[in-house]
Amino acid sequence: MDVDATQRLLRELAHAVADFVKQHPFEEWGVDLGKGADGTAMKLVDEIAEKEIVRVLKAHGGPWNVLSEGGGLIHLGGDGLLVTDPIDGTTNAIRGIPFYCVSLALGRERLSDVEAGIVLNVPTGDVFEAAKGRGATLNGRPLKVRAPGRSLVVSTTHGADVKAAGLRSFGASALEMCLVASGALDAYHYPKPILRVTDVAAATLIVREAGGIVIDDAGADLDLRLTLEPRFTLTAASSREMAKRVGVLPE
Amino acid sequence: MDVDATQRLLRELAHAVADFVKQHPFEEWGVDLGKGADGTAMKLVDEIAEKEIVRVLKAHGGPWNVLSEGGGLIHLGGDGLLVTDPIDGTTNAIRGIPFYCVSLALGRERLSDVEAGIVLNVPTGDVFEAAKGRGATLNGRPLKVRAPGRSLVVSTTHGADVKAAGLRSFGASALEMCLVASGALDAYHYPKPILRVTDVAAATLIVREAGGIVIDDAGADLDLRLTLEPRFTLTAASSREMAKRVGVLPE
């Protein structure tokens, strides 16, 4: 599949998931389904989103296998690997907090070989996309990280040691990283070692293709095998200098 | 004007502001205009939003005067007082963070006599409304605060002393209060004494009409004269018990 066909299928999948989820009664989204493949609490909205992905992929002849936060590795006989958190920001979604997204990335073995990614902001309909070496877009317009200004706004968890005039905490990593890519945020810092590649595979490519960095807590460019085992912290920022300025990297 | 006519005009105003703002090039929203009537930094987006409110009110014969964060008290010869933060969450708006709103309330002299209010989430199009004694709605559906559950989610500023499993910080008070009204959040706590009635007049009515509470830091039901002078802290919560549970009121 060439990169245009890959991006078209990712787009079809993202919209199918968002539409399918919105058709389900909101009152049922939060029904508890116990633990998923990675040990995270699964909600009904996660399961219906994942099932819709598998259904659409099968309708396309199962071109890719799936690595999903809830379902683990799902073999469809395909070549590439679709790495997905079908609903990122589940707690926000089931409560009706308008900040959650569908996150889909196509890779092979490692985060660094992810070739295309899409993050769809479900409540607003905004679409963030990237293809490796071809840049990132928001609703089709090219994205670029923010030039450093006087006043900084950073999203991070409460209690994190971050220096910025404006601090936010939105509760959906993939979407917060995309706001770094679009220049809305100067940085996003998640200090608890509980993220998985399913959360960040698409957004990592989007940030990097917009000119930003995604690093681990030692300051190295984040790279990981595409499995559910690694749990990690992460910083996305407009630049390495910005990561230093907000205090998440030593000067 | 009866309450239905009042709500219709508030709705017309809110949509006019949102549409007008979206027609302006996004790159210009953040142009700095110096200090507004209340000493806050004014951005171009605040000014165009306020001008649109005055234009629409004049087209309706100037039925109300206006108290606005940027412009102060604007006499149009009217009877009621439109209390407004035309764009609440200005920092989010000018950066492209999808969490900001138009806030409009119709009152007379005090917060407690506000008779109708509307908060329009600009990026999603969600409309929160309330009329005194007639309940609150989201997109026309009745709103009710959240029943207390096992796991709490509260929005507050970073560093605030709040006990909850999930902490958020979205950066637009009126909209965060409306998420308490809708049951999306268990509470919203703003501990810095810098809020004004223009920020919270509409959302206070919406929370109360949804069955929640809006209190000051002594625990008294918030009430203030409708002027720009008072600066205050605020907690909105599903109940007084919830405010105690998250630690913003003593047990």
Side-chain angles (χ1 to χ4, degrees):
Chain A
M1 209 182 287
D2 68 17
V3 66
D4 290 326
T6 295
Q7 287 203 286
R8 272 198 304 277
L9 181 49
L10 288 176
R11 217 172 289 146
E12 179 184 339
L13 284 162
H15 283 108
V17 170
D19 293 347
F20 193 65
V21 159
K22 282 191 276 193
Q23 284 163 23
H24 269 71
F26 174 69
E27 294 69 28
E28 296 177 9
W29 290 16
V31 170
D32 210 326
L33 301 181
K35 300 284 186 190
D38 68 345
T40 313
M42 281 282 284
K43 301 292 183 181
L44 184 68
V45 70
D46 296 313
E47 186 176 82
I48 61 180
E50 185 184 293
K51 280 192 170 160
E52 180 65 4
I53 288 170
V54 171
R55 188 193 67 75
V56 174
L57 280 179
K58 281 183 175 168
H60 280 268
W64 305 327
N65 298 313
V66 179
L67 181 72
S68 159
E69 186 168 299
L73 187 59
I74 302 165
H75 282 283
L76 297 177
D79 186 22
L81 182 64
L82 184 76
V83 182
T84 179
D85 189 358
I87 296 292
D88 183 58
T90 302
T91 299
N92 287 354
I94 65 179
R95 283 175 161 257
I97 297 173
F99 198 95
Y100 56 97
C101 62
V102 177
S103 170
L104 302 162
L106 183 68
R108 309 241 155 221
E109 295 190 352
R110 300 189 65 83
L111 195 56
S112 52
D113 66 30
V114 166
E115 58 201 69
I118 185 167
V119 172
L120 169 61
N121 181 338
V122 180
T124 67
D126 285 329
V127 178
F128 299 85
E129 292 177 287
K132 196 167 186 173
R134 292 164 53 130
T137 57
L138 165 56
N139 301 331
R141 293 188 308 274
L143 282 191
K144 206 175 169 318
V145 294
R146 193 177 193 84
R150 205 158 38 88
S151 186
L152 307 182
V153 179
V154 176
S155 188
T156 187
T157 52
H158 282 250
D161 189 14
V162 171
K163 296 190 281 282
L167 290 173
R168 302 285 187 275
S169 194
F170 293 105
S173 300
L175 200 44
E176 290 168 283
M177 291 172 72
C178 287
L179 294 183
V180 174
S182 74
L185 294 171
D186 294 287
Y188 169 65
H189 176 59
Y190 197 87
K192 299 181 201 166
I194 58 173
L195 291 172
R196 298 165 210 84
V197 287
T198 46
D199 298 316
V200 306
T204 296
L205 183 66
I206 292 167
V207 171
R208 287 174 176 165
E209 288 294 327
I213 61 160
V214 179
I215 55 177
D216 64 21
D217 52 10
D221 290 325
L222 191 72
D223 193 18
L224 294 156
R225 286 191 311 120
L226 297 179
T227 69
L228 293 181
E229 283 78 32
R231 306 290 293 262
F232 51 87
T233 71
L234 169 153
T235 297
S238 56
S239 67
R240 199 161 277 275
E241 293 64 43
M242 182 55 67
K244 291 178 184 168
R245 194 166 150 198
V246 302
V248 300
L249 271 185
E251 286 286 344
Chain B
M1 209 181 289
D2 68 18
V3 65
D4 290 326
T6 296
Q7 286 202 287
R8 273 197 304 277
L9 182 50
L10 289 176
R11 217 170 291 148
E12 179 183 340
L13 285 162
H15 283 109
V17 170
D19 293 347
F20 193 65
V21 160
K22 283 190 278 194
Q23 283 164 23
H24 269 71
F26 174 69
E27 296 68 29
E28 295 177 11
W29 289 16
V31 170
D32 211 327
L33 302 181
K35 301 283 186 191
D38 68 347
T40 314
M42 281 283 282
K43 301 291 182 180
L44 184 68
V45 70
D46 296 314
E47 184 175 85
I48 60 180
E50 184 183 293
K51 281 193 169 157
E52 180 65 4
I53 288 171
V54 171
R55 187 193 68 76
V56 174
L57 280 179
K58 282 183 174 168
H60 280 269
W64 305 326
N65 298 314
V66 179
L67 180 71
S68 159
E69 187 168 297
L73 187 58
I74 303 164
H75 283 281
L76 297 177
D79 186 19
L81 183 63
L82 185 76
V83 182
T84 180
D85 189 358
I87 296 292
D88 183 57
T90 301
T91 299
N92 287 353
I94 65 178
R95 283 176 161 255
I97 296 173
F99 198 97
Y100 56 97
C101 60
V102 177
S103 170
L104 302 162
L106 184 67
R108 309 241 155 222
E109 296 190 352
R110 301 189 66 82
L111 195 55
S112 52
D113 65 32
V114 167
E115 58 202 71
I118 186 168
V119 172
L120 171 61
N121 181 338
V122 179
T124 67
D126 285 329
V127 178
F128 298 86
E129 292 177 288
K132 195 168 188 174
R134 292 164 54 129
T137 57
L138 166 55
N139 301 331
R141 294 187 307 275
L143 281 191
K144 204 175 170 319
V145 293
R146 192 177 193 83
R150 205 158 37 88
S151 186
L152 307 181
V153 179
V154 176
S155 188
T156 187
T157 52
H158 282 249
D161 189 12
V162 170
K163 294 189 282 281
L167 291 173
R168 302 286 187 273
S169 194
F170 293 104
S173 299
L175 200 44
E176 289 168 284
M177 292 172 71
C178 286
L179 293 184
V180 175
S182 74
L185 293 172
D186 294 287
Y188 170 65
H189 176 58
Y190 197 87
K192 299 181 201 165
I194 58 173
L195 291 172
R196 299 165 209 84
V197 287
T198 46
D199 299 314
V200 306
T204 295
L205 183 65
I206 291 167
V207 171
R208 288 174 176 165
E209 288 292 328
I213 61 161
V214 179
I215 55 177
D216 64 21
D217 53 10
D221 290 324
L222 190 73
D223 194 20
L224 294 156
R225 287 191 311 119
L226 298 178
T227 70
L228 292 181
E229 283 79 31
R231 305 292 290 262
F232 51 88
T233 72
L234 168 153
T235 297
S238 55
S239 67
R240 199 161 277 275
E241 292 65 41
M242 183 55 67
K244 290 177 184 168
R245 196 167 148 197
V246 302
V248 301
L249 271 184
E251 287 285 348

